[in-house]
Amino acid sequence: MTTRTPDTGAARRAPWPLARVLRDRNAGLYLTGVVVSGFGSSALGLAAGVWVKDLTGSDGLAALCLLALWAPTLAGPALGTVADRVRRKPLLIAANLVPAGLLLTLFAVDSPGTLWLLFAVLFAYGVAGVVQDAAESALVAAAVDPGLLGDFNGLRMTANEGMKLVAPLAGAGLCAAYGGASVAALDAVTFVLAAGLYAALRVREAPPRRPAVNWRRQTAEGARYLWGHPGLRPLVLAGGVTMLCAGVGGATLYAVVDALDRSPAYAGVLYAVQGAGSVAVGILSGPALRRLGARRFGAAGIALFAVAVAVRAVPSEALAWASGAAAGVGLPAVLIAALTAVQRETPGPLLGRVSATANSLVFAPNVLGLAVGAALVELTGLRLLLPAVGAVLLATALALASARRPGGRPTPSPA
C-alpha cells in the first residue's frame, strides 16, 4: 500500500544504526513532528489536571482528565481500521488538524459547571490520537528500514517522553499564570506545525484495495492475527498489565504531591524527572533489543518499573525523584518492544488494524487503571496501594521473561 521514496544514500553510508536513523529524511521529519506535537500534548496532559484541581480541589476529578484522554483506546481496533481503508499520509495530517480546532473551544471553560466541555474535548483528542497512532505506525513501517525500527521507535519514545523534561513545567507555569485555555492554544499551534511536517514526508501511497468484507469483519482480522501470533501475544499482554498498573499509579500522582506537602504544579517536576529517564532508554533501546531480544528487554523494563512504583509510597522527595527517573527508564521498554515487534511481524495491508488492536490491548487497561486508581486514591493509603501495584508488576516481568520462544508465525490473509 505504501512504498518508500528512494532517499537512502546517506542512510546506507552512515556507520551505525542510530546515525542512519538520524540521517534519513523521512525519519527526521517524523521525529521533528513528534517533538513538536509531543511538547503540546505533554503540556496539556498535566495542565488539564492542574486546571481541574484548581477549579474543584478534587484529586479524583483531576485524574479523570487522563481517563478521558485514554478512553478512546477501547475502540482502537475499529478506529485503526480507518488506516487500512484510506491513504495514511492524509489521514495523519487530518488527525492533527481536527484536534487543533477543537482545542480552541476550551477558552469557554472557566468554572466547575463548564468542565464537561473540557472532558468532551479531551475525549475527542484521544480519538484523534488513536487514529493518528495507527496511521503513523503503518507509514513508519514502510518508510524506515526494518532493521532500524527498534532504533527509530526508541528515538521516537525519546522525543515524545523527553518533552517531559520541559513541557509539563512550561504547561503548569503557563496554566498558573494565564489559565488552562492558554495551554490549549499552545497545543493547537503545535498540532498545526506537526501537520505541516507530516505533509512534507516523501512516501508514495497506492489507493487502498477495496475491502472484500465489511468493517466489523475487517476489524476482527487484525485481532485474529495478533492473538494468533506466538511472539506478539505475550508481549502485548505484558504491556497491557503494565499499563493497567501504570494507570493505578498515575492516578496517585497528586496524592503523592500532597504527601510531599507541595502544590499541584509540583507534579510538573516529577513529570520532568520521568522524562529524563525516558530519554536514556529511548536512545539505548535499539542496541538493547538486538542484544536481549524483545521479551527480555521488555521484562527487564517492567521489573525496574515495579520497584519505582513501590518506593513512591515513601513520602521522601529524594525517593520521589529517584522513582520518577526509574519509571522513565522502565515503563517505555515493553512499549518499544511490543510496537517494534508488531511493525516487523505484520504485513502492510493489516498493519493499521493490528497496530491499533495492539495499542488497545496495551493502553486500554490504562483506562481501567486510572478509573480504579481515581477511586482507590480517595479510599486507601499510598503505603498499601503502591507496593501492591509493584508486586503485580514484578510478577508480570517474571511471566514475560519465562515465556516460551515462538516457533513460528501465523499466515495472514488480509482483506
Side-chain angles (χ1 to χ4, degrees):
M1 181 176 174
T2 306
T3 58
R4 184 179 182 176
T5 300
D7 186 25
T8 59
R12 290 194 186 99
R13 293 191 297 271
W16 60 303
L18 184 59
R20 289 173 62 189
V21 172
L22 293 175
R23 293 188 187 187
D24 184 274
R25 181 181 184 276
N26 278 341
L29 286 170
Y30 267 117
L31 291 172
T32 305
V34 167
V35 168
V36 171
S37 63
F39 181 89
S41 296
S42 295
L44 182 67
L46 176 65
V50 174
W51 195 358
V52 172
K53 174 78 171 177
D54 286 341
L55 285 175
T56 66
S58 169
D59 291 330
L61 284 176
L64 287 179
C65 290
L66 291 177
L67 177 61
L69 283 169
W70 286 110
T73 59
L74 296 171
L79 293 171
T81 302
V82 177
D84 289 335
R85 296 174 71 100
V86 302
R87 290 192 301 132
R88 288 153 175 172
K89 179 179 171 181
L91 180 63
L92 183 60
I93 295 169
N96 280 270
L97 293 178
V98 170
L102 292 175
L103 284 166
L104 298 180
T105 66
L106 295 183
F107 279 92
V109 177
D110 57 2
S111 67
T114 57
L115 283 179
W116 66 269
L117 178 58
L118 173 61
F119 290 121
V121 170
L122 290 176
F123 181 83
Y125 189 112
V127 170
V130 172
V131 174
Q132 179 180 343
D133 285 346
E136 181 182 290
S137 181
L139 270 178
V140 164
V144 176
D145 185 336
L148 299 177
L149 283 174
D151 298 275
F152 176 85
N153 288 325
L155 286 175
R156 184 187 183 281
M157 184 68 71
T158 291
N160 197 19
E161 296 298 312
M163 287 300 97
K164 292 178 180 178
L165 292 170
V166 290
L169 291 173
L174 194 61
C175 181
Y178 301 105
S182 63
V183 186
L186 171 65
D187 196 15
V189 171
T190 64
F191 268 122
V192 172
L193 292 175
L197 289 165
Y198 296 139
L201 290 170
R202 292 177 181 171
V203 290
R204 297 193 187 104
E205 291 190 274
R209 291 184 302 171
R210 186 179 183 85
V213 295
N214 61 30
W215 190 292
R216 181 179 60 81
R217 294 180 64 183
Q218 192 180 15
T219 298
E221 286 172 350
R224 282 198 302 270
Y225 178 86
L226 179 63
W227 194 253
H229 197 295
L232 299 180
R233 187 174 61 247
L235 270 171
V236 169
L237 289 176
V241 175
T242 301
M243 290 305 295
L244 171 69
C245 295
V248 175
T252 68
L253 175 62
Y254 294 101
V256 169
V257 171
D258 284 343
L260 297 174
D261 198 25
R262 293 282 191 167
S263 71
Y266 188 74
V269 175
L270 300 183
Y271 266 113
V273 173
Q274 184 169 332
S278 298
V279 168
V281 74
I283 293 172
L284 298 174
S285 62
L289 278 169
R290 285 187 288 272
R291 189 176 189 87
L292 300 175
R295 287 187 305 107
R296 287 189 293 172
F297 176 58
I302 296 170
L304 180 59
F305 184 50
V307 176
V309 170
V311 301
R312 193 174 291 175
V314 181
S316 162
E317 219 164 311
L319 280 178
W321 282 48
S323 68
V329 173
L331 177 58
V334 70
L335 308 181
I336 295 170
L339 173 60
T340 303
V342 166
Q343 289 173 326
R344 285 175 174 166
E345 298 293 327
T346 306
L350 275 171
L351 190 49
R353 283 164 281 172
V354 174
S355 63
T357 301
N359 283 342
S360 288
L361 291 173
V362 170
F363 293 112
N366 190 257
V367 178
L368 176 60
L370 286 166
V372 171
L376 290 180
V377 73
E378 304 282 359
L379 300 174
T380 66
L382 295 177
R383 289 181 180 272
L384 174 64
L385 179 59
L386 292 178
V389 172
V392 173
L393 285 165
L394 188 58
T396 302
L398 293 173
L400 179 59
S402 61
R404 291 191 306 170
R405 290 180 180 275
R409 55 180 292 182
T411 300
S413 56

